[in-house]
Structures are given as structure tokens and as C-alpha cells.
Amino acid sequence: MDSENFREKFNQHLLHPWGDLSTIGEDDHSSVIVKGDGVYIFDAEGNRLLDGPAGMWCMQTGYGRREIADAVAEQIMNLSYATSFSVINNREVQLAQRIAEQTPGDLNRIFFTTGGSTSVDSALRLCQLASNIQGKPHRKHILTREKAYHGSTFLSASVTGKERDKSAMDTIKEGIHFLSAPCHFYHPEFATEEAFCDFLIEELEQKILDVGADNIMCFIAEPILASGGVIVPPANYNQRCWQTVKKHGITYIADEVVTGFGRLGHWFASEAVFGVVPDMIIFAKGVTSGYIPMGGYAVSETFLASFSGDNADGCLYSNGYTWGGSPVACAAALTSWDIIERENLLSHVHQIGPYFQQQLRTLKDIPLVGDVRGQGLMAAVEMTIEGRNEEDLLAKDYAIGDMVDQHCQQLGLLVRPFINICIISPPLIITRQQVDELVSTLRLGLELTLKDLREQGIWID
Ligand SMILES: Cc1ncc(COP(=O)(O)O)c(C=O)c1O
């Protein structure tokens, strides 16, 4: 079957995440992907696309790894399933031990889930349980940020701050507090990043005062806000937030679903990059190089001890998933881990990351490009037609990401469009030559988009 046939059946039968309900069943352009190899994916006609977003920030070791396939096949034949509700499996133990060795501080206990959302949900529910056991049922307020993305379960979506995602879907409003997104680009009124950072910390302090430290269950934060537009916070922001919330005895949760497993050149970025030792770290995606769904969190022994053992008050952590700790997912994760180690992919990210960032920044000479930002192997190219205030961005730039994406797909590059932003986070194995290919194709896609905008009279020189 060719792409058109697949698309026709897709239009009849599928609903995709974040699907636009007004155009449901009308897709006439999305690539139909049938194969992957290294950093490339291929459509049904055999056209090759460089996978800019690495699937969805997850294909750390790239596509088509025979070694992972063999390990998964062997695991399926040996033990395809074991329920963590009643037995221990050898693979979950091996993986948990490796993760615990890499997490900072005393984050030595691991809970496995099926992905990022279920990990966020499970971590927040553990914190709720802690408050209840400790006789503080009022301590349930959550601090989060605008433009944060934490997932799609009811609770993880409720702590998500991406304005578009709030459209008409229900979320919990009570007790969830959104602080400003730490993006200096959106706040040119602050002359320096330092001044902006001071403002953000004062805002956090004020919020803690207003809500009352004793009512606040946790602060949840991605070290770099990924899906909200690769927002790299001002220097020291993460550490200052952590110090502030810890001063008030509030639990700090780092959502490392994207920043973990090598994207910033470390197994976990919290301490290594940002000098933060959280109480909990959430991971998913890259843990299996995207080959099998899996997620989880690491929790600090100190935090856990405050409501377990003699302090447990007879309570259970009644939360878990059929496929949490699946031996097959763990086998994929262990093999991906072996590859990352053997091929020195963490040091590769340290070497290629600065080159990737520097090359992407050369795109700033295109008038349509308002900002290029990022760190390690995660980046965003933000297109701006005019003005920088959010209303303008949403009203006028809404379709630009899609326009660039469509041109790039024709040219052999997949980018992840988000409103007026293209998100790029390639597999960790990307080479300098492939970075050059990515950037030159993106340049062409941006120039063609600018040409379209000029022809449509939207862009006026
Ligand atoms: C930071 C972060 N947290 C949580 C999630 C949710 O993960 P999942 O889609 O695996 O449920 C995502 C997904 O993009 C994410 O980027």
C-alpha cells in the first residue's frame, strides 16, 4: 500500500494525540512512516527523512538496533511477563540498580510505570499519600510553571501549563498554581537574564507566602521546559528554585522525562548540569531508547522514610500498572544502556551538542527567525512575524510551525512544529555531517516559508 492509501484508512479509523477535531479525517499531507534506520525514517515510497525530534525526544540510540531487538526477542522467549504486584523479576532489579547508581543524593528507590504521564501521576500520588500519612491532608497544593508539560493523565495534565492544551479539556484547577515560564525571550522588559531570574525567585517566594508553605505538597519542574518550546531557564534559576522550596520544607520533583538518559550529556541532568538534588526524579522516553514504553521515578530514601516503615501508619501505596517493571521493557532499557556506554554517547553529546547549537544559531540571519535556543541535543527555532507578546504569537504565528514542517518534510527533514516553534532533538548518535544536513535543510524550509508568507502578504519587508 502507498502513502495515499494508508492516509485514507488513517482518515477513516484513527484519532491522533492533539488531533484537531475540526479537520478530523481530512489529513492530506502527513508522512506515512514505515521504516527507521539510525537517525533516518522512511515513508511508504522510500523517501528518507532525518528524524529531527528523535521520535518524540526518545530515540536515543537511533532506529534499527539489532542488539535491542535481539535482547527483547530473547527476553520474550525467556520470560515475557511478570507482575510486579506479586513477584520480583530479575530484569527490573538489574535496571533499578543501574538507575539508582546514577541518580543524585539518596534517590535510591525506583518505581516503574508505563511512560512519562503515569510516572508524573504516580509521583504526585505518592506525595499526596505522604501528606495524608503525616497527618497533613491540607498539604496538597502544587507549584508548577506556565508552558510546562507533564503529561496526559488527569493529574499530570492538570499540572501542565501549556496554554493551548487547556482549550476545552477538563483539568483540576483547585490547588494548582502556575508560576511564570522562565523564558527571558518572552520578557524583554527585564534588561538582563539575572534581573529576570530575581523576579522569578521573588514570584516563587511570594507564592509560597500566599499559599502557605505548610499547604504546599510539591514543586514540579522540568529542568529545561521541553514541549513548551525548549525553554532554557536563566543561569542558576533551577538551583535557586530548589534552594527556595527546600528552605520552606517543600518536596522538589524534577521531571527528567526529556532531559534524562543523555539528552544533556548525562544520565540525569538535575545535579550534573543544574546543581539540584531533587526529592524525586521522573524519567521515561529515552530509558528504552523509545523501543518499548516505560517510565518511572526515583525517590529519595529520606523522603520515603518520613512516611514508610514505622511511619507508614499501616498504609499501602495503592498505585501501579500491569506493565510496570515489565521484563521486556527492562531488557530493552538495559541493552540501550549498554549501547550508550559502549559507544560513549554521553561524551559524544558533550562534543556534538555545542556544534549543533552553534550551527542552529546561524539560522538567526533569516528574518523570520526570532530566537534559537537550547542546550545539549535539544533546541527550538522560534519564528516571529512581529512583536514578541504572547497574544501576537498565538494569533499570527499559529500556523508557521506547520508551514516550516511541511516544507521540511518535502525536503527530507522532520521537525516537530509547535505553534510558531520548530522543536529539534535528534537521536544522540547524530554526526557533524548529519547536523549540517539538518541545519541546511531547515534553512531551506524556513526560506521557502518566508517566500510563502511574502506571497500571501502576511510578511511585509
Ligand atoms: C517533560 C515531560 N513529562 C512527561 C511527559 C509525558 O510522557 P508520556 O507521553 O510518556 O506519557 C512528557 C512527554 O512529552 C514530557 O515531555
Side-chain angles (χ1 to χ4, degrees):
M1 239 185 351
D2 62 12
S3 290
E4 217 164 297
N5 281 318
F6 276 116
R7 225 179 274 118
E8 195 186 310
K9 300 280 176 258
F10 166 86
N11 280 329
Q12 284 168 23
H13 299 300
L14 272 143
L15 177 61
H16 263 184
W18 273 254
D20 184 342
L21 296 181
S22 54
T23 55
I24 193 166
E26 294 174 16
D27 191 314
D28 61 0
H29 67 273
S30 292
S31 294
V32 176
I33 300 302
V34 298
K35 184 179 156 60
D37 184 17
V39 299
Y40 296 103
I41 50 177
F42 297 82
D43 72 11
E45 282 70 38
N47 297 308
R48 191 180 85 164
L49 295 134
L50 200 160
D51 184 8
M56 183 80 160
W57 322 91
C58 57
M59 298 301 300
Q60 316 303 74
T61 59
Y63 293 88
R65 289 279 186 174
R66 165 76 49 201
E67 198 178 335
I68 300 182
D70 287 347
V72 164
E74 196 183 320
Q75 185 60 47
I76 288 173
M77 292 315 294
N78 201 36
L79 176 69
S80 46
Y81 179 80
T83 175
S84 308
F85 286 67
S86 51
V87 293
I88 300 165
N89 80 71
N90 54 343
R91 296 297 184 209
E92 64 170 343
V93 174
Q94 288 168 334
L95 182 60
Q97 189 183 353
R98 280 196 198 181
I99 293 172
E101 277 164 12
Q102 296 301 336
T103 47
D106 68 346
L107 277 76
N108 294 328
R109 193 165 293 277
I110 315 299
F111 182 79
F112 286 120
T113 68
T114 54
S117 309
T118 50
S119 302
V120 170
D121 209 282
S122 296
L124 293 174
R125 296 193 71 208
L126 187 77
C127 293
Q128 291 170 339
L129 177 66
S131 291
N132 294 342
I133 293 177
Q134 291 168 345
K136 296 193 169 184
H138 56 277
R139 194 179 61 194
K140 295 284 166 59
H141 288 252
I142 300 173
L143 304 183
T144 177
R145 279 96 45 88
E146 284 160 11
K147 297 193 184 292
Y149 183 72
H150 294 296
S152 261
T153 62
F154 194 34
L155 189 50
S156 61
S158 298
V159 297
T160 285
K162 285 169 69 178
E163 59 282 335
R164 191 170 62 148
D165 300 357
K166 298 280 172 195
S167 55
M169 300 279 281
D170 283 0
T171 53
I172 304 161
K173 307 280 187 304
E174 205 188 328
I176 296 178
H177 308 272
F178 292 93
L179 298 157
S180 302
C183 187
H184 191 211
F185 180 66
Y186 298 137
H187 290 277
E189 71 275 18
F190 291 95
T192 63
E193 215 180 65
E194 293 74 36
F196 179 50
C197 189
D198 290 342
F199 158 79
L200 294 167
I201 300 302
E202 276 163 33
E203 183 192 42
L204 172 60
E205 283 276 15
Q206 191 55 49
K207 181 57 78 179
I208 294 172
L209 269 179
D210 292 348
V211 179
D214 196 47
N215 295 319
I216 302 175
M217 181 175 89
C218 64
F219 173 81
I220 181 165
E222 300 160 82
I224 291 177
L225 289 82
S227 304
V230 188
I231 294 169
V232 182
N236 301 324
Y237 163 85
N238 281 320
Q239 198 180 42
R240 289 177 69 188
C241 283
W242 170 60
Q243 286 162 346
T244 304
V245 302
K246 290 321 291 175
K247 185 177 76 188
H248 292 283
I250 297 163
T251 300
Y252 186 106
I253 304 176
D255 182 342
E256 290 226 38
V257 163
V258 170
T259 54
F261 291 92
R263 192 140 297 283
L264 297 182
H266 300 273
W267 292 109
F268 295 102
S270 288
E271 188 181 32
V273 182
F274 301 103
V276 170
V277 182
D279 299 297
M280 301 180 87
I281 292 181
I282 290 157
F283 60 86
K285 295 190 189 279
V287 60
T288 63
S289 266
Y291 279 67
I292 306 266
M294 162 169 253
Y297 63 71
V299 56
S300 121
E301 285 172 7
T302 312
F303 175 53
L304 195 58
S306 67
F307 58 95
S308 64
D310 290 343
N311 298 321
D313 200 20
C315 292
L316 301 179
Y317 178 44
S318 26
N319 176 73
Y321 306 94
T322 299
W323 281 282
S326 141
V328 177
C330 291
L334 288 161
T335 313
S336 166
W337 192 299
D338 291 342
I339 294 170
I340 290 174
E341 275 185 342
R342 195 180 58 238
E343 296 185 2
N344 294 316
L345 292 182
L346 299 183
S347 34
H348 176 66
V349 174
H350 286 288
Q351 280 154 24
I352 197 87
Y355 182 70
F356 170 71
Q357 296 294 338
Q358 178 202 329
Q359 292 307 106
L360 278 174
R361 278 162 181 73
T362 63
L363 299 171
K364 279 186 174 177
D365 65 351
I366 303 172
L368 186 58
V369 175
D371 192 27
V372 180
R373 51 179 181 263
Q375 195 168 326
L377 279 183
M378 56 195 293
V381 175
E382 175 152 352
M383 285 74 74
T384 328
I385 288 189
E386 66 179 57
R388 284 183 179 183
N389 78 55
E390 229 157 298
E391 240 167 74
D392 273 356
L393 290 176
L394 283 177
K396 296 183 180 148
D397 298 353
Y398 206 87
I400 299 182
D402 278 334
M403 287 169 80
V404 177
D405 178 45
Q406 282 186 37
H407 278 304
C408 286
Q409 288 201 30
Q410 291 292 319
L411 298 164
L413 169 69
L414 194 71
V415 293
R416 182 166 164 229
F418 167 58
I419 309 180
N420 60 320
I421 299 174
C422 287
I423 291 177
I424 307 146
S425 58
L428 308 189
I429 54 170
I430 193 165
T431 62
R432 276 174 91 92
Q433 209 181 352
Q434 288 162 340
V435 168
D436 293 343
E437 179 188 332
L438 187 158
V439 175
S440 58
T441 313
L442 183 53
R443 171 173 289 279
L444 212 53
L446 287 161
E447 284 169 353
L448 288 170
T449 304
L450 184 56
K451 187 166 167 275
D452 291 347
L453 291 169
R454 281 188 172 122
E455 280 168 12
Q456 291 165 18
I458 298 172
W459 182 275
I460 295 150
D461 287 293

